[in-house]
């Protein structure tokens, strides 16, 4: 039986005094791929940022339980060390630190071993090739001069290197062409196994064409209003969210 990884109950979050999440409930077990879809302003990115304790997002009430531990009061770095990972919608450029050194430092900070440098280098090159990234990018400053697609691939590379328990991908597919979306999907499949889980936040179904999500959730006005399987995503692609908005 799969172990429970994340259990969110009645989560309410404010941003600058405005309530965005209005009693959200979500449960994710090991080995599962979950997808959250919803219209603009529904609270999708708010959920991602709340899970990583972005200071702008204030939890008013509710609980976030990760691997059996309440993490409401944990700082962002403490959550990361426990196995939470967030792929940014708009990755930052950081001069002065190479991709390779950033990954080594992040791996060490998260408790992973980088003592076997040869294995680390081989795994890094292997993952970059799988993501169709030029391996010379490992020596370049983090995201500096990268295209939008390369930045998103670099986020997936970080996920594969850090091996978190729960990867939260906030619109990682936005702005990508068909080939890049397919590559990102391949990276998610490389990562996903029976001991971890993935939460994909997306506006469209392109990234799902090569994945088989266990659950698709529709988020409207700060609450999950319906949960289903992959067919629910196809329904949304055809009909949109208007029927769900009318139920509020």
């Amino acid at each position: 039986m799969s172990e429970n990884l994340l259990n969110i109950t009645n989560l309410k979050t404010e941003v600058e005094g405005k309530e965005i999440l209005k009693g959200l409930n979500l449960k994710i077990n090991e080995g599962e791929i979950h997808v959250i879809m919803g219209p603009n302003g529904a609270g999708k990115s708010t959920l991602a940022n709340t899970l990583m304790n972005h200071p702008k997002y204030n939890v008013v009430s509710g609980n976030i339980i990760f691997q059996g531990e309440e993490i409401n009061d944990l700082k962002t770095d403490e959550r990361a060390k426990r196995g939470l990972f967030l792929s940014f919608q708009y990755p930052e450029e950081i001069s002065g630190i190479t991709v390779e050194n950033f990954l080594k430092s992040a791996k060490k900070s998260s408790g992973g071993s980088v003592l076997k440098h040869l294995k680390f280098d081989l795994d890094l090159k292997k993952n970059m090739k799988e993501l169709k990234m030029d391996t010379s990018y490992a020596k370049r400053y983090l995201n500096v001069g990268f295209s939008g697609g390369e930045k998103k691939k670099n986020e997936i590379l970080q996920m594969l290197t850090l091996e978190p328990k729960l990867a939260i991908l906030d619109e990682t597919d936005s702005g990508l062409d068909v080939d890049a979306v397919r590559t990102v999907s391949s990276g998610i499949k490389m990562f996903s196994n029976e001991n971890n889980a993935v939460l994909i936040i997306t506006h469209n179904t392109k990234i799902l064409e090569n994945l088989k999500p266990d659950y698709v959730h529709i988020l409207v006005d700060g609450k999950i209003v319906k949960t289903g399987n992959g067919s629910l995503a196809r329904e949304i692609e055809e009909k949109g969210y208007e029927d769900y908005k009318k139920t509020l």
Side-chain angles (χ1 to χ4, degrees):
M1 183 177 179
S2 298
E3 292 290 329
N4 177 244
L5 269 184
L6 181 71
N7 194 7
I8 303 172
T9 55
N10 197 34
L11 184 62
K12 296 182 180 181
T13 301
E14 287 184 349
V15 179
E16 298 178 348
K18 181 180 180 181
E19 188 177 56
I20 305 298
L21 299 183
K22 304 176 180 179
L24 185 143
N25 296 286
L26 179 65
K27 183 178 180 180
I28 298 177
N29 295 323
E30 290 180 342
E32 295 178 345
I33 296 177
H34 288 243
V35 176
I36 290 185
M37 303 181 70
N40 290 331
K44 301 185 299 297
S45 290
T46 295
L47 173 60
N49 284 292
T50 298
L51 288 174
M52 291 306 296
N53 195 27
H54 189 297
K56 181 180 176 182
Y57 299 82
N58 179 44
V59 174
V60 177
S61 63
N63 288 313
I64 305 172
I65 307 297
F66 184 62
Q67 297 191 94
E69 175 188 12
E70 182 183 299
I71 63 171
N72 288 42
D73 297 325
L74 291 185
K75 297 178 181 179
T76 300
D77 63 326
E78 293 172 331
R79 298 185 189 201
K81 288 176 181 178
R82 282 165 171 75
L84 279 173
F85 171 87
L86 173 61
S87 170
F88 293 103
Q89 187 174 349
Y90 303 106
E92 294 286 339
E93 296 186 5
I94 303 176
S95 298
I97 181 170
T98 65
V99 169
E100 181 180 20
N101 287 337
F102 172 80
L103 291 173
K104 284 182 178 179
S105 178
K107 183 81 170 178
K108 185 176 180 180
S109 296
S110 65
S113 173
V114 293
L115 295 178
K116 298 179 180 179
H117 293 291
L118 179 59
K119 183 180 186 304
F120 178 89
D121 291 341
L122 290 174
D123 287 345
L124 180 60
K125 290 179 180 178
K126 174 180 176 293
N127 288 334
M128 293 184 78
K129 288 180 179 179
E130 289 287 347
L131 294 173
K132 299 179 181 178
M133 293 181 68
D134 189 325
T135 54
S136 66
Y137 276 53
K139 303 297 183 183
R140 292 176 58 175
Y141 290 152
L142 186 65
N143 290 327
V144 176
F146 287 25
S147 68
E150 294 297 342
K151 287 180 179 180
K152 297 299 182 70
K153 289 180 183 179
N154 196 32
E155 293 286 291
I156 300 301
L157 178 64
Q158 292 173 37
M159 178 185 72
L160 292 172
T161 301
L162 296 177
E163 300 177 302
K165 290 292 291 183
L166 175 61
I168 306 160
L169 309 181
D170 185 13
E171 297 192 30
T172 302
D173 56 333
S174 65
L176 300 184
D177 61 30
V178 174
D179 290 334
V181 169
R182 188 176 293 113
T183 300
V184 167
S185 297
S186 176
I188 295 171
K189 286 196 289 186
M190 286 170 58
F191 167 77
S192 183
N193 61 50
E194 62 182 11
N195 297 313
N196 59 32
V198 182
L199 176 61
I200 301 171
I201 296 170
T202 185
H203 270 296
N204 57 64
T205 60
K206 287 183 180 179
I207 196 171
L208 306 180
E209 292 177 359
N210 298 300
L211 297 172
K212 293 183 179 180
D214 297 284
Y215 299 97
V216 175
H217 310 279
I218 305 303
L219 179 62
V220 178
D221 194 30
K223 290 184 178 181
I224 291 176
V225 296
K226 186 171 182 179
T227 295
N229 56 25
S231 63
L232 182 56
R234 292 189 289 273
E235 175 192 316
I236 292 300
E237 185 177 37
E238 295 174 2
K239 300 180 180 179
Y241 300 103
E242 288 304 316
D243 289 344
Y244 296 103
K245 292 179 182 179
K246 294 175 183 177
T247 64
L248 299 176

